[in-house]
Amino acid sequence: SPPPWLHPAALVFYGFFAAILALYVVRQYHVRRAQRIAVSESEERLKLTLWSSGDELWDWDVFRGQVYRSNTWGTLDFPQDD
């Protein structure tokens, strides 16, 4: 008789556990990829919104007492009126 860790029932359990683990890893990959795409689309929408409004993005670091300003006028390309 084989040792308990090589018993056919144990081997089936190992295979089942490996399949569940592989499915979990694949699922996490797809979830993270979807999150990256969502963040990328959100950043693009923010960029286009700021461009169309002509405003700037401000960020205030309260703990350091610093204000960061992103001047969109100098970084984005605007259509030229000819």
Side-chain angles (χ1 to χ4, degrees), residues 15-50:
F16 179 74
F17 183 73
I20 294 295
L21 184 63
L23 287 173
Y24 176 76
V25 169
V26 168
R27 173 77 176 137
Q28 288 299 312
Y29 171 77
H30 287 294
V31 166
R32 289 185 181 166
R33 185 172 144 222
Q35 289 173 344
R36 277 191 302 253
I37 290 171
V39 167
S40 169
E41 290 173 354
S42 178
E43 288 175 350
E44 183 68 21
R45 281 194 309 272
L46 175 62
K47 187 188 303 183
L48 290 173
T49 302
L50 289 174

